[in-house]
Amino acid sequence: MKVLICGGAETAAGRAADLVAARLRRAPATTLGLATGGTMEAVYAALIARHRAGDCGFAAARSFNLDEYVGLAPDHPCSYWRYMREHLFGHVDFAPDRTHLPQGDAPDPQAEADRYEAAIRAAGDIGLQLLGIGANGHIGFNEPTSSLASLTRVKTLARATRAANARFFSGSEDVPRLAITMGIATILRAEEVVLLAVGEAKAEAVARMIEGPVSAFCPASALQTHRRVTVILDDAAAGQLALRDYYEDIHPGGM
Ligand code: PGA
């Protein structure tokens, strides 16, 4: 794993956006794996700025998001479809028919998950996968004890995840219990992974992901088995790393 410790949260988000923009310049027809959540908002804002400055374009790219809540239609205000339109798709030149999320209100959610997995494979898998991490070590909605061999499927959200995401709803009780999420094996098929974590609340999960054992108890630790992972952190999220000096020695200032 390449571990980049970038100082502030905004610098870290900018660094993640730089890696995405560089990939789009190198391979305009790349397939991006996209994430949602609070952390990604700054990444998308930085990407929109880079797009407006003429640094990168999305017209030839394609995207697949990690997950969607079961039961939420694409136009539901709390759906990830809506999040993506608001934070990225509505502001850049992605062709609408080249952006994909699982359909949360599909009548048969597991059939929808299978269809989504097949669509990712048919697209030749993900080129660059953007990830956040949950305080419990989840990636996508692969909660602790998810199979490291899992494919896209319906998962029950952990109570901690529903509590963490309650800020996007009227309250914890309104957060759906189920989600369709890419599996850990789906994510590991990506050619390149960029994971961003900021804030002290993520520090323990980050240390377990990078320095702990590979274990389904911390799903993000599965990334240790991937050849090309860049973990981008701010100072606070790097706070519990035992080998911090080493990472900073290799990549001073996260460069
Ligand atoms: P957050 O979510 O960016 O809202 O903290 C990250 C995640 O749960 O993967």
Side-chain angles (χ1 to χ4, degrees), residues 84 187 246:
M84 290 309 299
I187 292 168
Y246 178 58

Side-chain angles (χ1 to χ4, degrees), residues 48-215:
I48 292 166
R50 282 155 183 66
H51 173 65
R52 290 191 177 144
D55 278 355
C56 64
F58 298 82
R62 208 175 354 203
S63 72
F64 287 88
N65 264 76
L66 282 167
D67 44 27
E68 178 60 286
Y69 292 110
V70 167
L72 301 197
D75 60 356
H76 188 285
C78 299
S79 73
Y80 284 154
W81 262 114
R82 182 70 86 87
Y83 172 105
M84 290 309 299
R85 276 198 297 274
E86 206 173 292
H87 293 288
L88 184 66
F89 297 158
H91 309 277
V92 297
D93 58 345
F94 256 126
D97 62 340
R98 293 172 70 83
T99 58
H100 307 274
L101 283 88
Q103 195 177 326
D105 63 343
D108 179 343
Q110 186 51 52
E112 170 61 7
D114 294 343
R115 182 200 66 76
Y116 198 70
E117 178 75 25
I120 294 169
R121 277 192 191 277
D125 285 326
I126 304 297
L128 184 151
Q129 176 69 55
L130 258 182
L131 292 176
I133 182 172
N136 66 358
H138 75 200
I139 46 175
F141 276 132
N142 294 287
E143 301 288 26
T145 73
S146 284
S147 162
L148 302 187
S150 52
L151 302 176
T152 307
R153 69 212 181 290
V154 176
K155 274 300 284 183
T156 302
L157 301 187
R159 197 187 296 261
T161 299
R162 294 178 66 225
N165 289 1
R167 67 193 197 278
F168 299 112
F169 290 78
S170 322
S172 216
E173 277 317 300
D174 292 334
V175 182
R177 289 185 176 276
L178 302 175
I180 295 171
T181 181
M182 279 189 205
I184 295 174
T186 319
I187 292 168
L188 291 176
R189 291 201 310 270
E191 199 181 310
E192 173 183 9
V193 174
V194 175
L195 184 144
L196 173 66
V198 298
E200 199 185 342
K202 301 292 174 69
E204 189 195 335
V206 163
R208 290 199 293 136
M209 162 176 70
I210 299 172
E211 297 175 340
V214 173
S215 162

Side-chain angles (χ1 to χ4, degrees), residues 15-29:
R15 190 87 178 84
D18 284 340
L19 294 183
V20 176
R23 170 111 195 175
L24 287 168
R25 282 196 300 273
R26 203 166 61 242

